[in-house]
Amino acid sequence: MRDGERQVPDPAIPVGEGAGNRREARAEGARERSPEPGSPALPSAEDMGPGRPPDRAPAPGGAVAGSDAEAGPGPGADGPPPKVERDGEALRFSGHLTSMSAGHVWRHAVEAAKGAGRIDLSALETLDTSGAALVLAAQAAAGGEVPVEGASEPVAAVLERARGAAGKPPAQQAPKKRLGPIRRLGAWGVGRVRNAGDGAEFLGESAATVVNAARRPRDLRAADVLRHLDEVGTRAFGLVLLLGVLIGVILAFQSAVPMRQYGADIFVPRLVGISLLRELGPLLAGVILAGRTGSAFAAELGTMTVNEEISALRIMGIDPMVLLVLPRLVAATIALPVLALLMDLSGLVGMGFVMVARGFPVSVVINQLHAGVQLWDLLQGLGKAAVFGLVIAGIGCRAGLQAGSGPRAVGDAATAAVVGGIVALVVLDGIFAVMFFRLGW
């Protein structure tokens, strides 16, 4: 056929046969697109009959919780339609009360429920969450306290779940009233008393653990003690030596200014030596231990507490005081006197540099130290340092073991360990000063 010519139907082909061929082609294409044998397929619209087509096909043999499969056949299944009848004081439901049929009888059921004395579900075969909502609405329309009777076990289970889901939300708690000044003072005092009780309990447990370890040395693990000695002592040597030299230089310069007014520059080594050996050496070493090691103990044990590792140890029958606290107490008690000794020696070296720079011979400086400082002064400082180390380690371990929960617990524990350690250092140093003065030491 040439362009521009009108197509004329072939007289040999009957009218309508082309349409029939197209229908056959569509049918053949549909057969080609049909699923494999054995795969689930939806029935045709003619076979399904009137009604809304299903939204999805359930898995073979499966059921959806709260759906029609919970208590019987679902919408579209063979069975009597739902009926709502009023017989005297009884309101009866029968048939299949599902999401497909509850809407058709909802208004009638609510109107019929007014004044009813009981709701009878003995003839109800199927119930889903939508049907249960209708039953609860009818019960509310009847007065709320109307009994529901005759329900089968599956129907009663669905109705009970729907009743629980439709419960009233929990009432919001009223905001706590702010306490008055007297009550706040009382709450603060109660909190302090509780903290003191917890501290006394920890102190008693620590003392019992140390005594038991002295009786049974095998409870103390040497590997843990050596590891903590390295963390507490060896790794802090550089910092202690640096601060000791600087403290010695500062004390020498500051002492030389007033002593020079009286021509007593030569007595600066005595003053600096006594100050370092008795007070400043142990005190500064303790401050370093509290800020560097006490916080580390609190952070480590606090992390274990937050992760419930401490509770797991107790469940397994392992005492955390023996496994975690005792090695740290022993390591800090041994390491801090060594750190204090290094602080003393480095401070004296720094003071010697200043005295030599001011024109005093080294022999004069040594003689002044020998004349003004005694071995007892050094022993006093080292004894205080041992007590400081024990207390600082105990405060850090207690803060870690009593850490709370949440992301701020570890940080709060480390802060409490540092603050508590420094305060305890100052208090203990004051107690030792008064005691040594009374004893004439």
Side-chain angles (χ1 to χ4, degrees):
M1 181 177 62
R2 292 187 299 269
D3 296 340
E5 293 185 0
R6 181 179 180 184
Q7 183 179 3
V8 180
D10 191 350
I13 301 176
V15 178
E17 185 174 353
N21 293 337
R22 287 193 297 272
R23 284 196 297 270
E24 293 176 1
R26 286 197 298 269
E28 183 178 359
R31 286 192 299 270
E32 293 177 355
R33 292 190 300 270
S34 64
E36 296 292 334
S39 61
L42 293 174
S44 61
E46 292 80 1
D47 296 335
M48 293 178 64
R52 193 182 69 176
D55 295 332
R56 58 177 179 173
V64 181
S67 65
D68 305 339
E70 285 184 295
D78 296 336
K83 293 182 181 180
V84 182
E85 300 175 349
R86 178 70 179 272
D87 185 7
E89 292 186 354
L91 180 65
R92 290 189 176 89
F93 288 87
S94 61
H96 302 273
L97 191 59
T98 63
S99 58
M100 300 294 293
S101 57
H104 299 287
V105 297
W106 192 286
R107 183 176 300 177
H108 172 63
V110 174
E111 291 293 334
K114 295 179 179 179
R118 61 188 180 91
I119 298 177
D120 186 7
L121 303 181
S122 58
L124 193 61
E125 302 178 14
T126 305
L127 183 71
D128 65 356
T129 52
S130 299
L134 174 56
V135 174
L136 295 178
Q139 185 181 21
E145 301 296 333
V146 175
V148 179
E149 304 173 350
S152 61
E153 185 176 353
V155 171
V158 176
L159 185 62
E160 187 64 25
R161 287 198 297 270
R163 183 178 285 111
K168 295 182 180 180
Q172 296 182 355
Q173 297 181 355
K176 295 182 179 180
K177 296 182 180 180
R178 187 175 181 180
L179 300 177
I182 298 179
R183 292 185 177 181
R184 279 184 288 173
L185 180 61
W188 178 84
V190 171
R192 300 288 78 76
V193 171
R194 289 179 179 176
N195 290 336
D198 295 339
E201 180 182 357
F202 179 81
L203 180 61
E205 291 182 1
S206 301
T209 302
V210 172
V211 171
N212 293 333
R215 296 170 55 186
R216 297 190 302 269
R218 64 179 180 275
D219 292 343
L220 183 61
R221 302 175 61 181
D224 292 341
V225 175
L226 293 177
R227 178 172 64 87
H228 292 303
L229 278 175
D230 177 63
E231 295 175 356
V232 177
T234 307
R235 300 184 184 182
F237 281 177
L239 178 61
V240 170
L241 291 174
L242 175 62
L243 292 181
V245 171
L246 295 177
I247 291 297
V249 171
I250 294 172
L251 287 177
F253 275 119
Q254 295 297 326
S255 301
V257 173
M259 299 289 282
R260 183 174 51 189
Q261 298 177 1
Y262 304 98
D265 296 3
I266 195 172
F267 298 111
V268 170
R270 295 190 181 190
L271 177 62
V272 175
I274 294 175
S275 300
L276 282 175
L277 296 182
R278 287 189 176 184
E279 296 293 335
L280 293 181
L283 189 62
L284 293 178
V287 171
I288 294 174
L289 183 70
R292 182 181 177 275
T293 306
S295 60
F297 287 171
E300 185 176 358
L301 296 183
T303 303
M304 297 180 67
T305 302
V306 172
N307 294 336
E308 298 183 355
E309 297 177 24
I310 304 296
S311 301
L313 290 176
R314 289 194 175 99
I315 291 174
M316 291 186 294
I318 300 174
D319 189 3
M321 298 294 296
V322 176
L323 182 64
L324 302 175
V325 177
L326 183 59
R328 289 172 169 81
L329 295 179
V330 174
T333 306
I334 296 175
L336 190 55
V338 178
L339 296 179
L341 180 60
L342 289 178
M343 178 73 71
D344 296 338
L345 296 177
S346 59
L348 294 178
V349 170
M351 179 271 301
F353 287 156
V354 174
M355 297 303 294
V356 171
R358 292 178 60 85
F360 292 92
V362 178
S363 59
V364 174
V365 176
I366 295 176
N367 291 334
Q368 288 294 324
L369 285 175
H370 186 268
V373 179
Q374 300 178 1
L375 180 62
W376 180 243
D377 298 328
L378 178 62
L379 295 179
Q380 286 184 13
L382 297 182
K384 290 196 299 184
V387 176
F388 291 165
L390 180 64
V391 172
I392 292 172
I395 291 176
C397 294
R398 175 179 175 270
L401 292 177
Q402 293 185 352
S405 59
R408 297 180 55 184
V410 178
D412 293 342
T415 302
V418 175
V419 175
I422 294 176
V423 172
L425 280 178
V426 177
V427 173
L428 287 175
D429 192 53
I431 293 174
F432 279 120
V434 174
M435 184 177 65
F436 291 160
F437 176 76
R438 290 296 181 181
L439 294 176
W441 294 352

